[in-house]
């Protein structure tokens, strides 16, 4: 080493940064999770809460995507009696079964009244 005394002075005067920004964010987020009312959370529950909070904030959790219909699903999935008869006479029973499982059946109620 060329300058050992200067090296030791530099280590005392210019210390390395203790933590990085992502680490600081984790501690700040944890502080918001553990409040006075939740001070007795177990470490495993605290870890699970932090992981869920991170996934939610980074839009990795989506509990509603399954329930949202696309425009194509709303337009094409109307199963009329005429279409049912057409598929039956053509022998396309698997296609009819798929449509019955995923579509809205539209009935003509004028003949009932």
């Amino acid at each position: 080493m060329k300058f050992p005394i200067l090296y030791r002075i530099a280590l005392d005067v210019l210390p390395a940064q203790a933590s990085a920004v992502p680490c600081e964010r984790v501690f700040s987020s944890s502080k918001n999770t553990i409040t006075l009312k939740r001070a007795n959370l177990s470490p495993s529950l605290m870890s699970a809460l932090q992981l869920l909070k991170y996934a939610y904030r980074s839009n990795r959790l989506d509990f509603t995507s399954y329930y949202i219909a696309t425009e194509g699903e709303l337009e094409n999935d109307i199963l009329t009696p005429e279409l049912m008869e057409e598929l039956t006479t053509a022998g396309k029973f698997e296609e009819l079964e798929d449509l019955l499982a995923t579509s809205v059946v539209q009935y003509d109620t004028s003949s009932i009244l």
Side-chain angles (χ1 to χ4, degrees):
M1 189 175 312
K2 199 170 187 180
F3 302 103
I5 297 174
L6 185 60
Y7 174 76
R8 289 184 187 172
I9 293 172
L11 286 179
D12 288 338
V13 176
L14 306 171
Q17 186 176 357
S19 63
V21 174
C23 182
E24 291 291 334
R25 286 190 190 131
V26 169
F27 285 115
S28 295
S29 178
S30 298
K31 184 185 90 173
N32 294 335
T33 302
I34 295 182
T35 61
L36 290 176
K37 292 182 180 180
R38 295 186 227 151
N40 293 327
L41 291 176
S42 68
S44 60
L45 183 57
M46 181 62 191
S47 176
L49 285 173
Q50 288 300 110
L51 289 172
L52 281 172
K53 190 190 313 186
Y54 173 77
Y56 178 74
R57 287 184 177 169
S58 59
N59 292 324
R60 293 183 182 175
L61 287 180
D62 188 7
F63 298 110
T64 60
S65 63
Y66 177 78
Y67 298 107
I68 298 174
T70 63
E71 188 174 333
E73 291 172 335
L74 294 175
E75 291 176 356
N76 298 330
D77 287 348
I78 296 176
L79 186 59
T80 61
E82 293 83 20
L83 181 58
M84 290 172 59
E85 185 177 337
E86 181 184 323
L87 290 172
T88 305
T89 55
K92 297 181 178 180
F93 299 112
E94 289 181 14
E95 188 177 337
L96 178 61
E97 185 178 327
D98 291 342
L99 283 173
L100 283 170
T102 61
S103 67
V104 176
V105 179
Q106 188 177 48
Y107 294 105
D108 183 14
T109 57
S110 62
S111 62
I112 298 173
L113 300 174

